[in-house]
Short mmCIF file of all heavy atoms in Angstrom, two decimals:
data_model
loop_
_atom_site.label_atom_id
_atom_site.label_comp_id
_atom_site.label_asym_id
_atom_site.label_seq_id
_atom_site.Cartn_x
_atom_site.Cartn_y
_atom_site.Cartn_z
N ALA A 210 181.14 73.68 68.74
CA ALA A 210 179.84 73.57 69.42
C ALA A 210 178.99 72.45 68.82
O ALA A 210 178.45 71.62 69.55
CB ALA A 210 179.10 74.90 69.36
N VAL A 211 178.88 72.42 67.51
CA VAL A 211 178.01 71.41 66.90
C VAL A 211 178.60 70.01 67.06
O VAL A 211 177.86 69.04 67.26
CB VAL A 211 177.71 71.74 65.42
CG1 VAL A 211 178.87 71.46 64.51
CG2 VAL A 211 176.47 70.98 64.96
N THR A 212 179.91 69.88 67.01
CA THR A 212 180.54 68.57 67.21
C THR A 212 180.25 68.05 68.61
O THR A 212 179.85 66.88 68.78
CB THR A 212 182.06 68.66 66.97
OG1 THR A 212 182.29 69.07 65.62
CG2 THR A 212 182.74 67.32 67.23
N LEU A 213 180.40 68.90 69.61
CA LEU A 213 180.15 68.48 71.00
C LEU A 213 178.66 68.25 71.24
O LEU A 213 178.28 67.31 71.94
CB LEU A 213 180.72 69.51 71.97
CG LEU A 213 182.24 69.67 71.92
CD1 LEU A 213 182.70 70.83 72.78
CD2 LEU A 213 182.94 68.37 72.32
N TYR A 214 177.83 69.08 70.65
CA TYR A 214 176.38 68.90 70.77
C TYR A 214 175.96 67.55 70.19
O TYR A 214 175.20 66.80 70.81
CB TYR A 214 175.66 70.05 70.06
CG TYR A 214 174.17 69.83 69.93
CD1 TYR A 214 173.32 70.01 71.02
CD2 TYR A 214 173.62 69.46 68.72
CE1 TYR A 214 171.96 69.81 70.90
CE2 TYR A 214 172.26 69.27 68.58
CZ TYR A 214 171.43 69.44 69.67
OH TYR A 214 170.08 69.24 69.54
N MET A 215 176.45 67.24 68.99
CA MET A 215 176.09 65.97 68.36
C MET A 215 176.61 64.79 69.18
O MET A 215 175.91 63.79 69.31
CB MET A 215 176.62 65.92 66.92
CG MET A 215 175.92 66.89 65.98
SD MET A 215 174.13 66.68 65.90
CE MET A 215 174.02 65.05 65.18
N ALA A 216 177.80 64.90 69.72
CA ALA A 216 178.32 63.82 70.56
C ALA A 216 177.42 63.64 71.77
O ALA A 216 177.12 62.51 72.18
CB ALA A 216 179.75 64.13 70.99
N GLY A 217 176.97 64.76 72.34
CA GLY A 217 176.10 64.70 73.51
C GLY A 217 174.75 64.09 73.24
O GLY A 217 174.08 63.62 74.17
N LYS A 218 174.33 64.06 71.99
CA LYS A 218 173.06 63.41 71.64
C LYS A 218 173.18 61.89 71.77
O LYS A 218 172.17 61.21 71.94
CB LYS A 218 172.64 63.78 70.23
CG LYS A 218 172.16 65.22 70.10
CD LYS A 218 171.80 65.57 68.68
CE LYS A 218 170.50 64.90 68.28
NZ LYS A 218 169.98 65.42 66.99
N TYR A 219 174.39 61.36 71.68
CA TYR A 219 174.60 59.92 71.66
C TYR A 219 175.36 59.38 72.87
O TYR A 219 175.42 58.17 73.06
CB TYR A 219 175.31 59.52 70.37
CG TYR A 219 174.51 59.91 69.16
CD1 TYR A 219 174.81 61.05 68.44
CD2 TYR A 219 173.41 59.16 68.77
CE1 TYR A 219 174.06 61.43 67.34
CE2 TYR A 219 172.64 59.53 67.68
CZ TYR A 219 172.96 60.67 66.96
OH TYR A 219 172.21 61.04 65.88
N TRP A 220 175.96 60.27 73.65
CA TRP A 220 176.76 59.86 74.80
C TRP A 220 176.15 60.44 76.07
O TRP A 220 175.59 61.53 76.07
CB TRP A 220 178.20 60.37 74.67
CG TRP A 220 178.97 59.73 73.57
CD1 TRP A 220 178.88 59.99 72.24
CD2 TRP A 220 179.97 58.72 73.69
NE1 TRP A 220 179.76 59.23 71.53
CE2 TRP A 220 180.43 58.43 72.39
CE3 TRP A 220 180.51 58.04 74.77
CZ2 TRP A 220 181.41 57.49 72.15
CZ3 TRP A 220 181.50 57.10 74.52
CH2 TRP A 220 181.94 56.83 73.23
N GLN A 221 176.31 59.74 77.15
CA GLN A 221 175.90 60.23 78.46
C GLN A 221 176.87 61.33 78.89
O GLN A 221 178.04 61.33 78.48
CB GLN A 221 175.92 59.10 79.50
CG GLN A 221 174.94 57.98 79.21
CD GLN A 221 173.51 58.46 79.29
OE1 GLN A 221 173.13 59.18 80.21
NE2 GLN A 221 172.71 58.09 78.30
N ASN A 222 176.41 62.23 79.74
CA ASN A 222 177.26 63.32 80.21
C ASN A 222 178.59 62.81 80.77
O ASN A 222 179.64 63.39 80.50
CB ASN A 222 176.55 64.15 81.28
CG ASN A 222 175.45 65.02 80.70
OD1 ASN A 222 175.21 65.03 79.50
ND2 ASN A 222 174.77 65.75 81.55
N ALA A 223 178.54 61.75 81.55
CA ALA A 223 179.76 61.23 82.19
C ALA A 223 180.78 60.71 81.18
O ALA A 223 181.97 60.63 81.49
CB ALA A 223 179.39 60.12 83.17
N ASP A 224 180.32 60.37 79.98
CA ASP A 224 181.23 59.83 78.96
C ASP A 224 181.78 60.89 78.03
O ASP A 224 182.66 60.61 77.21
CB ASP A 224 180.51 58.76 78.14
CG ASP A 224 180.15 57.54 78.97
OD1 ASP A 224 180.96 57.17 79.85
OD2 ASP A 224 179.07 56.98 78.77
N LEU A 225 181.27 62.11 78.14
CA LEU A 225 181.76 63.20 77.29
C LEU A 225 183.04 63.78 77.88
O LEU A 225 183.26 63.72 79.09
CB LEU A 225 180.71 64.31 77.21
CG LEU A 225 179.42 63.96 76.49
CD1 LEU A 225 178.40 65.09 76.67
CD2 LEU A 225 179.67 63.70 75.02
N PRO A 226 183.89 64.37 77.04
CA PRO A 226 185.07 65.05 77.58
C PRO A 226 184.61 66.15 78.55
O PRO A 226 183.60 66.80 78.32
CB PRO A 226 185.73 65.65 76.34
CG PRO A 226 185.26 64.81 75.20
CD PRO A 226 183.86 64.40 75.57
N PRO A 227 185.35 66.35 79.62
CA PRO A 227 184.97 67.38 80.60
C PRO A 227 184.79 68.74 79.93
O PRO A 227 185.56 69.11 79.04
CB PRO A 227 186.15 67.40 81.58
CG PRO A 227 186.78 66.05 81.44
CD PRO A 227 186.57 65.65 80.00
N GLY A 228 183.76 69.45 80.35
CA GLY A 228 183.52 70.79 79.85
C GLY A 228 182.83 70.86 78.50
O GLY A 228 182.71 71.95 77.93
N SER A 229 182.35 69.74 77.99
CA SER A 229 181.74 69.74 76.66
C SER A 229 180.51 70.64 76.59
O SER A 229 180.40 71.49 75.69
CB SER A 229 181.37 68.32 76.24
OG SER A 229 182.53 67.55 76.00
N TRP A 230 179.56 70.45 77.50
CA TRP A 230 178.33 71.26 77.43
C TRP A 230 178.63 72.73 77.71
O TRP A 230 178.02 73.60 77.09
CB TRP A 230 177.28 70.71 78.39
CG TRP A 230 176.71 69.41 77.93
CD1 TRP A 230 176.80 68.20 78.57
CD2 TRP A 230 175.98 69.16 76.72
NE1 TRP A 230 176.17 67.23 77.82
CE2 TRP A 230 175.66 67.79 76.69
CE3 TRP A 230 175.58 69.97 75.65
CZ2 TRP A 230 174.94 67.21 75.64
CZ3 TRP A 230 174.87 69.39 74.60
CH2 TRP A 230 174.56 68.02 74.61
N GLU A 231 179.56 72.99 78.59
CA GLU A 231 179.94 74.39 78.85
C GLU A 231 180.53 75.03 77.60
O GLU A 231 180.26 76.19 77.30
CB GLU A 231 180.92 74.47 80.02
CG GLU A 231 180.34 74.09 81.37
CD GLU A 231 180.32 72.59 81.66
OE1 GLU A 231 180.66 71.77 80.76
OE2 GLU A 231 179.93 72.23 82.77
N ALA A 232 181.34 74.26 76.86
CA ALA A 232 181.93 74.77 75.62
C ALA A 232 180.85 75.07 74.58
O ALA A 232 180.94 76.07 73.86
CB ALA A 232 182.96 73.79 75.06
N VAL A 233 179.83 74.22 74.50
CA VAL A 233 178.72 74.47 73.56
C VAL A 233 178.10 75.83 73.87
O VAL A 233 177.91 76.67 72.98
CB VAL A 233 177.66 73.35 73.63
CG1 VAL A 233 176.40 73.74 72.86
CG2 VAL A 233 178.22 72.03 73.11
N ILE A 234 177.80 76.05 75.15
CA ILE A 234 177.17 77.32 75.56
C ILE A 234 178.10 78.50 75.27
O ILE A 234 177.69 79.49 74.65
CB ILE A 234 176.78 77.27 77.05
CG1 ILE A 234 175.68 76.24 77.27
CG2 ILE A 234 176.36 78.65 77.55
CD1 ILE A 234 175.47 75.84 78.74
N GLN A 235 179.34 78.40 75.72
CA GLN A 235 180.28 79.52 75.53
C GLN A 235 180.50 79.83 74.06
O GLN A 235 180.50 81.01 73.65
CB GLN A 235 181.62 79.19 76.21
CG GLN A 235 181.53 79.17 77.71
CD GLN A 235 182.78 78.57 78.35
OE1 GLN A 235 183.74 78.22 77.67
NE2 GLN A 235 182.76 78.46 79.66
N ASP A 236 180.68 78.80 73.24
CA ASP A 236 180.95 79.01 71.82
C ASP A 236 179.77 79.66 71.12
O ASP A 236 179.93 80.58 70.31
CB ASP A 236 181.30 77.70 71.13
CG ASP A 236 182.65 77.16 71.52
OD1 ASP A 236 183.43 77.87 72.20
OD2 ASP A 236 182.94 76.00 71.16
N LEU A 237 178.57 79.18 71.41
CA LEU A 237 177.41 79.73 70.71
C LEU A 237 177.01 81.10 71.24
O LEU A 237 176.56 81.95 70.47
CB LEU A 237 176.25 78.73 70.77
CG LEU A 237 176.54 77.44 69.98
CD1 LEU A 237 175.40 76.45 70.16
CD2 LEU A 237 176.79 77.73 68.51
N GLU A 238 177.17 81.34 72.53
CA GLU A 238 176.91 82.69 73.06
C GLU A 238 177.91 83.68 72.46
O GLU A 238 177.54 84.79 72.08
CB GLU A 238 176.97 82.70 74.59
CG GLU A 238 175.81 82.00 75.27
CD GLU A 238 174.47 82.72 75.11
OE1 GLU A 238 174.40 83.84 74.56
OE2 GLU A 238 173.46 82.14 75.56
N LYS A 239 179.16 83.27 72.35
CA LYS A 239 180.16 84.15 71.74
C LYS A 239 179.85 84.36 70.26
O LYS A 239 179.96 85.47 69.74
CB LYS A 239 181.57 83.58 71.92
CG LYS A 239 182.66 84.50 71.41
CD LYS A 239 184.02 84.01 71.78
CE LYS A 239 185.07 85.04 71.40
NZ LYS A 239 186.41 84.61 71.84
N SER A 240 179.43 83.31 69.59
CA SER A 240 179.06 83.43 68.18
C SER A 240 177.92 84.43 68.01
O SER A 240 177.96 85.27 67.09
CB SER A 240 178.63 82.07 67.61
OG SER A 240 179.72 81.19 67.56
N LYS A 241 176.94 84.38 68.89
CA LYS A 241 175.83 85.34 68.82
C LYS A 241 176.35 86.77 68.97
O LYS A 241 175.92 87.66 68.23
CB LYS A 241 174.79 85.05 69.91
CG LYS A 241 173.91 83.87 69.62
CD LYS A 241 172.99 83.46 70.76
CE LYS A 241 172.58 84.51 71.71
NZ LYS A 241 171.80 84.02 72.85
N ARG A 242 177.27 86.97 69.91
CA ARG A 242 177.83 88.32 70.10
C ARG A 242 178.61 88.77 68.86
O ARG A 242 178.50 89.92 68.44
CB ARG A 242 178.72 88.38 71.33
CG ARG A 242 177.97 88.34 72.64
CD ARG A 242 178.87 88.63 73.83
NE ARG A 242 180.01 87.74 73.97
CZ ARG A 242 179.99 86.55 74.56
NH1 ARG A 242 178.88 86.08 75.08
NH2 ARG A 242 181.09 85.83 74.65
N LEU A 243 179.40 87.86 68.29
CA LEU A 243 180.19 88.21 67.11
C LEU A 243 179.31 88.47 65.88
O LEU A 243 179.62 89.35 65.07
CB LEU A 243 181.19 87.09 66.80
CG LEU A 243 182.33 86.92 67.80
CD1 LEU A 243 183.08 85.62 67.55
CD2 LEU A 243 183.28 88.11 67.75
N ILE A 244 178.25 87.72 65.76
CA ILE A 244 177.34 87.91 64.62
C ILE A 244 176.56 89.21 64.78
O ILE A 244 176.27 89.87 63.80
CB ILE A 244 176.39 86.70 64.48
CG1 ILE A 244 177.19 85.45 64.10
CG2 ILE A 244 175.29 86.98 63.47
CD1 ILE A 244 176.39 84.15 64.19
N ARG A 245 176.24 89.57 66.00
CA ARG A 245 175.49 90.78 66.37
C ARG A 245 173.99 90.58 66.14
O ARG A 245 173.59 89.89 65.20
CB ARG A 245 175.98 92.02 65.62
CG ARG A 245 177.40 92.42 65.92
CD ARG A 245 177.80 93.73 65.26
NE ARG A 245 177.28 93.97 63.94
CZ ARG A 245 177.88 93.60 62.80
NH1 ARG A 245 179.03 92.98 62.85
NH2 ARG A 245 177.34 93.88 61.64
N PRO A 246 173.19 91.18 66.99
CA PRO A 246 171.73 90.99 66.92
C PRO A 246 171.11 91.37 65.57
O PRO A 246 170.22 90.67 65.09
CB PRO A 246 171.19 91.90 68.03
CG PRO A 246 172.32 92.01 69.00
CD PRO A 246 173.58 91.97 68.17
N ASP A 247 171.58 92.44 64.94
CA ASP A 247 170.99 92.85 63.67
C ASP A 247 171.22 91.80 62.58
O ASP A 247 170.33 91.52 61.78
CB ASP A 247 171.54 94.22 63.23
CG ASP A 247 173.05 94.25 63.08
OD1 ASP A 247 173.76 93.73 63.97
OD2 ASP A 247 173.53 94.81 62.07
N ARG A 248 172.38 91.17 62.59
CA ARG A 248 172.66 90.11 61.61
C ARG A 248 172.03 88.79 62.01
O ARG A 248 171.62 88.01 61.14
CB ARG A 248 174.17 89.94 61.42
CG ARG A 248 174.77 91.11 60.64
CD ARG A 248 176.26 90.97 60.40
NE ARG A 248 176.63 89.70 59.81
CZ ARG A 248 177.75 89.03 60.14
NH1 ARG A 248 178.59 89.52 61.02
NH2 ARG A 248 178.02 87.89 59.58
N MET A 249 171.93 88.52 63.31
CA MET A 249 171.27 87.28 63.77
C MET A 249 169.85 87.22 63.25
O MET A 249 169.38 86.16 62.81
CB MET A 249 171.25 87.20 65.30
CG MET A 249 172.52 86.70 65.95
SD MET A 249 172.93 84.98 65.59
CE MET A 249 171.64 84.13 66.47
N ALA A 250 169.15 88.34 63.28
CA ALA A 250 167.76 88.39 62.83
C ALA A 250 167.63 88.04 61.35
O ALA A 250 166.56 87.62 60.91
CB ALA A 250 167.17 89.76 63.11
N LYS A 251 168.71 88.20 60.59
CA LYS A 251 168.67 87.94 59.15
C LYS A 251 169.11 86.51 58.80
O LYS A 251 168.99 86.11 57.64
CB LYS A 251 169.55 88.95 58.42
CG LYS A 251 169.03 90.37 58.54
CD LYS A 251 169.97 91.35 57.90
CE LYS A 251 169.49 92.78 58.14
NZ LYS A 251 170.44 93.77 57.67
N LEU A 252 169.62 85.77 59.79
CA LEU A 252 170.02 84.39 59.52
C LEU A 252 168.79 83.55 59.23
O LEU A 252 167.67 83.88 59.64
CB LEU A 252 170.77 83.80 60.72
CG LEU A 252 172.12 84.39 61.07
CD1 LEU A 252 172.71 83.69 62.28
CD2 LEU A 252 173.08 84.31 59.89
#
Side-chain angles (χ1 to χ4, degrees):
V211 75
T212 299
L213 296 173
Y214 170 76
M215 291 303 295
K218 288 178 72 169
Y219 300 100
W220 292 77
Q221 297 295 315
N222 287 0
D224 294 323
L225 294 171
S229 291
W230 289 117
E231 293 83 355
V233 169
I234 294 165
Q235 291 168 3
D236 289 350
L237 294 176
E238 289 291 355
K239 185 171 187 176
S240 293
K241 284 173 28 185
R242 287 190 303 276
L243 291 168
I244 294 169
R245 297 186 322 270
D247 58 315
R248 287 181 52 218
M249 279 294 291
K251 295 175 185 174
L252 294 180

